[in-house]
Amino acid sequence: MTRPATPPILAQIRAPSSPAALLSALKALKNEIIGHDQKKEVWVNLGVLPVLVSALSPSRFEGKRRSREINGGGAVRPQGPKAPLNEEEEIRLQATNIIGSLAQAGPAFVVPLLHASAGPALLLALSPAETSPALVLATLRSLNTIADALALSPPASGVHDTTLSGLLFSDGHVHNLAQILSQSSPAPIIQKQISLAAGLIAKSCREDWHQASLANAGALDALATRLASFIVSTGFVLPGADLVARNNGTLESMPAPAPSTAELHPILEAISAIIQNSKLRAAQLLYSPAITTVFPTQPPGNLPETTSGNGWNDYGVTPRQAYVNPINQLLPQLPSPHHKASSHMTAFPPLGPNGTRAAADARHAGGRTWFSDHEIRAASRSSTAAAVEEDESPLLAWLIHVTRAEHGITRLMAASVLTVLYRAGLTSKRREMALGLLVVPLLVRMFDEDLATSDRALKAAAGPDARWMELTIEEQAPSILAMLVTDSPALQKAAVEAHAIKRLAQMLKVAYDPVAPPVQATPWTPTTGRDSAASEPPSTSRLGDAGVPASMMHKLTVRANTLKALAALAPFNDEYRKNIIDNGVTPFLIESLKSTEGSVTNGSHATDGTSKRVGNPQMVLLAACGALRALSRSVSILRTSLIDAGVVMPLFALLKHEDVAVQIAATAAVCNLVLEFSPMREAIMRAGVLRILCEQAHSKNAKLRLNALWALKNLVCSAENDIKISCLEELDQSWLIQLICDDMERAALAATGENGEPVLDSSPEESEREDGREAEEAFIAPGVDDAKMADVGASARIDGVAIPPGSSTGARIPTNVMMKVLGEEETNPAQRARRDDRAVQEQGLAFIRNLICGPACVEMIDFLLGKLGQERLFEILASKLRPRIVNPYSRSSRSRRAGQGGGGTRVIQPHGEIIVEVCFVLVHVAASQNPHHRQLLIAQTGLLKLLLPLFGHSNKNVRVALLWIIINLTCLDDQADQLACKGRALELKKLGFQGKLEALEHDVELDVRERTKTALSQIKQAMTF
């Protein structure tokens, strides 16, 4: 390649004679490198990057500008979208465009750019109040290009997609993003800025602190305002909303209609990125001023009350003032849960005339348009409106309508926001049916939908972005479906009936097709590699790793997301799991378990042209472990497909992976492989899984420690005694006691607020998880990342306002109180510490429970008592049943006793799940074939007294476990034990257990009533001996 005549241009850039000369040199450089990667490499090697970064500084010609202003030659620059650029801004604009062009060449060029501090220099131009719109737009384009390239960078390069995020979401720059999103000008350049800023947020917002920083800076409210402007422009503002806003004094929150140049899908994508996995931020979206203005939750005073004849009684809802949501009238009518659908009704309503975008545009043309009185009355009479509960925001129905009416990327992003709100628990209970019938089939249909066949007009309008839209839909649609159907058998059924498994399996197979290596022309150099290594240039003049080709990254993303979707469909139904296996997923699942060190993933090549060994990145490994965890819940699959495919060794290798997140996922998958009926148990035991799990149980990472204890609990379940003894000795009994006894939350609880009072602590009586696990029923691996966010804890108290259990996030709870509760639940370190601590303690107790169960339990009980000491063991169990007093000597204790609220002394009752595990430890002790163990238990008077108040516990599993203790203590296995059995029965009656049992004879749970009959019968019979 002929070397370009660059020295004159470089000299002019490094030492310009005037701003005009610098501007001319930058334009010449831009024209030379655009579209020519080899010339870009030459210029980087020449060291042009530090000079370009210095040109981005707004103070480079500060002295000359001030001199002109002093001499009267400086004029104030006109403001506005169409204002011309001054000379300095032109220079910064050209330098920004050059940096964006260099970043367009890929990760290899982004590495020296970041080493040259191009990121901080670009971010200086993000303030719309101080920078011209053209420069802000160019800066956003360059930052988006850098973010795209960083997503392709390998971890070993030293830069990754969080490198830019750390700068972008810092306090100095995140407010600029919020200002860009808050602009109200309809000018096309401003609307393009808003779209690019929203896209940059969607690409870069990956961690919780990123989301919190954006929400605190006002970016979420600004995005909500942009979203509301689309609601206004399409005429979906609820009838009377302007009257409500005028009465409340919030009419200024009503946004202007979105201009025709505005784009909806970047706004939705950014919102989804910010509110994901956070009920607090999801609620902030629903209750933002703009959304509550266009979708008010309170009816205006001049609308008639709806107290009868509207179907509320059919659903068990007390008649009250109902503000009916007319948007539901635009959705297909769904079958009533109390009536069978007629034969002519289809399970999945087709897109009707009202569901097309053209009809919506024709209906609401002309900006803000209120619903007609006829539509309001029709909605009041419809069963669809009657099914919607009182506290759901109309935004949910609008998002369903957008999902059905729009196409392509807009449909996908509307479904994404809708899914996040559903997962946050902010939808009505009946909304699940609408999601299953109206949204899930559309998502499945998007898996392999090509814009060329679905909507040619849409593809023509998208232009060069059409291919990007197709790839984005293919990547993200499975991930959104996975999030939507997790923990919902009804939605999983809807997805399977829409043939999701077949399509996902085909996508996974295609994701393993070979990728053609990129064609790269390597320029000739007179120096050998050894010579160049001897005089290595600085990092700002040396290209980095070429990274993963974009085509390969697309396939890796599809692999990960399809595996996530398959895992989300498989947890509860064995038929679905068999369907997945029958579609040929197993070999691709095994291949997905192979990490970077062990396999060749097609298509990645080094910069020198040689092939490079690359395996699956973290996202694929995590998804593969999740899919294996779900599939291994089937005994038949464990004994056939998975063992034949050789799943043990690839998974075992991931237990020792350098990434802790991969270790956590692999340990969760191991839980089902170490059970007694697993044919892989012996193989994984021979490989040394016991030692690894015990090491992980000592980890400082709470999730890894939890999963390791869970796997060990499953391993000792029904195992031989020698395995149980080896496991306890390897784990170290002193460490086990520490895990069960030490409240790791105490350090967090000791952290006080500004006034010296402890931070908010919700009541421990949170919603109970319906697991009901017996000692032998440990066949469900831990849900480390797919648990649906719970509602507000029961009886939480803030500012003296008590929130009853099960209250929904609606008008019955003041919005500010609800937001404060959610904020405390998500940000309070004591809350997080308690959840982690309770989960670890539960699994530690379950480990002891499984350790002493089984046919040879006598030996293990004696071994455990010998290792721990009987007094120490029973004291540990008693400590788990005692209420705990927090801050007993608080000055506000008196006011709290006087009913004045406050944050003084609080009594924390033991959690139901901990009680269940403690009780079943006692159940196994009482079930021992050695009568001495029963006598030992009945002698623990203090422990037994702690059980008495628990007979009225709201958790059914607690009551059943208590009954099993009584049954085992009064069971007569040997005639020689008659007198001892009578003594135990008399002691139980003396302590008051018989009265507690009599109170349970009319329990609402059949299982409790039946166990109560058995316990009372045995006590009465024993006292006759």
Side-chain angles (χ1 to χ4, degrees), residues 1009-1022:
R1009 295 197 301 270
E1010 293 298 320
R1011 302 289 82 74
T1012 301
K1013 292 178 183 179
T1014 303
L1016 281 172
S1017 174
Q1018 289 186 181
I1019 288 180
K1020 293 176 182 179
Q1021 183 180 1

Side-chain angles (χ1 to χ4, degrees), residues 994-1013:
Q994 186 171 353
K996 294 293 184 179
L997 292 176
E998 292 172 352
L1000 291 180
E1001 286 186 295
H1002 303 288
D1003 194 275
V1004 295
E1005 297 290 341
L1006 176 62
D1007 193 15
V1008 175
R1009 295 197 301 270
E1010 293 298 320
R1011 302 289 82 74
T1012 301
K1013 292 178 183 179

Side-chain angles (χ1 to χ4, degrees), residues 649-878:
M649 297 318 296
L651 181 62
F652 184 80
L654 295 183
L655 291 174
K656 299 178 286 185
H657 197 276
E658 59 183 8
D659 193 326
V660 176
V662 175
Q663 293 182 35
I664 293 171
T667 306
V670 164
C671 289
N672 290 343
L673 304 184
V674 296
L675 289 164
E676 179 191 17
F677 48 78
S678 171
M680 290 170 268
R681 178 174 182 167
E682 293 184 4
I684 202 168
M685 285 287 292
R686 288 195 301 268
V689 71
L690 178 61
R691 179 183 57 81
I692 294 178
L693 291 176
C694 290
E695 290 177 357
Q696 291 177 343
H698 289 73
S699 171
K700 295 181 180 180
N701 187 290
K703 288 185 178 180
L704 183 58
R705 189 166 62 245
L706 171 65
N707 286 359
L709 278 174
W710 201 310
L712 289 171
K713 174 196 73 174
N714 288 3
L715 190 149
V716 300
C717 180
S718 301
E720 299 293 334
N721 281 355
D722 56 343
I723 296 178
K724 293 181 178 181
I725 293 173
S726 300
C727 186
L728 182 60
E729 291 178 345
E730 184 74 27
L731 182 62
D732 187 2
Q733 63 270 13
S734 60
W735 178 251
L736 177 62
I737 292 174
Q738 183 178 344
L739 290 178
I740 296 174
C741 295
D742 286 2
D743 287 333
M744 300 180 183
E745 59 180 302
R746 291 176 181 173
L749 284 172
T752 57
E754 296 179 358
N755 298 325
E757 297 293 339
V759 291
L760 173 73
D761 191 3
S762 66
S763 170
E765 291 297 325
E766 298 174 0
S767 57
E768 296 293 335
R769 190 173 60 194
E770 297 180 358
D771 51 14
R773 291 184 298 271
E774 302 290 340
E776 297 81 23
E777 296 177 349
F779 192 46
I780 296 181
V784 295
D785 56 1
D786 55 1
K788 189 172 182 178
M789 287 178 285
D791 288 335
V792 179
S795 303
R797 180 177 292 273
I798 293 183
D799 298 334
V801 179
I803 301 176
S807 295
S808 58
T809 56
R812 288 174 294 178
I813 303 175
T815 303
N816 60 333
V817 175
M818 182 199 65
M819 300 300 290
K820 196 169 184 180
V821 171
L822 294 176
E824 289 290 349
E825 284 197 340
E826 291 193 13
T827 61
N828 189 347
Q831 297 271 10
R832 295 195 301 269
R834 179 176 297 110
R835 286 192 292 267
D836 294 341
D837 186 35
R838 185 173 64 230
V840 171
Q841 289 187 22
E842 179 189 355
Q843 295 308 312
L845 290 167
F847 174 80
I848 294 178
R849 167 183 169 181
N850 285 359
L851 202 66
I852 60 175
C853 75
C857 63
V858 175
E859 178 185 353
M860 287 308 305
I861 293 175
D862 290 335
F863 177 78
L864 187 66
L865 293 175
K867 282 288 185 178
L868 303 183
Q870 66 181 37
E871 293 184 2
R872 189 179 188 186
L873 175 62
F874 288 121
E875 176 56 32
I876 291 173
L877 298 178

